[in-house]
Amino acid sequence: MDQLSTTPTTSSIVKSDMLDISIRFKEERKRLGLSQKEAAKALGVSISSLGTYERNQVTPLVWVLLPLYKLGADIQYIVTGERALGVLPEPEQRLITAFRSASSDGQAAILTTATALSGVVTAKKEQKSGTTQIFNGEVGQNISGGFKGDHTFHFGKK
């Protein structure tokens, strides 16, 4: 009878994935504002052991990641490279969920709109046919459409 191994073999973990884990591990430590000395003490490891995680010599084990999680680190991000939704405020979680479930065109529209809304908004009188809203974003796509109103709004850089 075959049994599943709980310890991954070296060949089952891609070396670039391990490097990414060490980079993100260090990034999360710094994001939390911890020095190597502070982090090592909080994790119950020596500074040299912490250094081996951050230099991609050893992949940190769960018993090291658990205290880091309790300090506020995003362990999902360290392991996978994707931020955990629970770390973000609820409106941002909804936005990311909507973005991930959208088609590629929908994702482009979301990025364009978000970029546009974070820029300067200027109003300009439109012809008597109504108002057209034009979003100019950094993703290289313009989205426009008409609606009833008195102004044309241009978002972002023109």
Side-chain angles (χ1 to χ4, degrees):
M1 181 170 167
D2 290 336
Q3 291 185 337
L4 294 175
S5 172
T6 58
T7 307
T9 62
T10 306
S11 62
S12 69
I13 300 175
V14 179
K15 291 186 185 217
S16 65
D17 290 339
M18 291 170 47
L19 176 61
D20 292 342
I21 288 171
S22 69
I23 291 168
R24 292 188 298 262
F25 183 93
K26 182 176 183 178
E27 184 182 319
E28 279 296 279
R29 175 186 59 80
K30 288 184 173 186
R31 183 183 67 81
L32 294 172
L34 298 172
S35 67
Q36 282 190 320
K37 184 178 181 180
E38 293 166 329
K41 183 177 179 180
L43 301 177
V45 298
S46 67
I47 293 176
S48 63
S49 290
L50 182 72
T52 64
Y53 306 142
E54 294 185 355
R55 288 189 305 276
N56 192 34
Q57 294 171 329
V58 176
T59 302
L61 299 172
V62 172
W63 66 266
V64 174
L65 294 177
L66 213 48
L68 192 60
Y69 169 77
K70 290 178 180 178
L71 292 171
D74 184 349
I75 302 305
Q76 177 177 318
Y77 173 69
I78 292 172
V79 175
T80 69
E82 292 185 21
R83 290 277 178 200
L85 291 179
V87 175
L88 301 173
E90 193 267 334
E92 292 179 33
Q93 290 177 26
R94 287 195 338 256
L95 179 62
I96 290 172
T97 300
F99 180 83
R100 288 180 178 169
S101 64
S103 66
S104 59
D105 287 342
Q107 289 178 350
I110 290 168
L111 288 173
T112 300
T113 302
T115 302
L117 293 175
S118 66
V120 177
V121 178
T122 58
K124 177 182 172 185
K125 292 277 185 183
E126 180 63 32
Q127 323 78 342
K128 53 189 165 189
S129 65
T131 300
T132 300
Q133 190 169 7
I134 301 172
F135 297 92
N136 298 310
E138 293 181 6
V139 292
Q141 182 178 12
N142 292 333
I143 301 171
S144 63
F147 65 93
K148 303 260 185 214
D150 297 324
H151 296 81
T152 295
F153 297 92
H154 295 275
F155 299 89
K157 299 174 185 172
K158 194 87 166 130

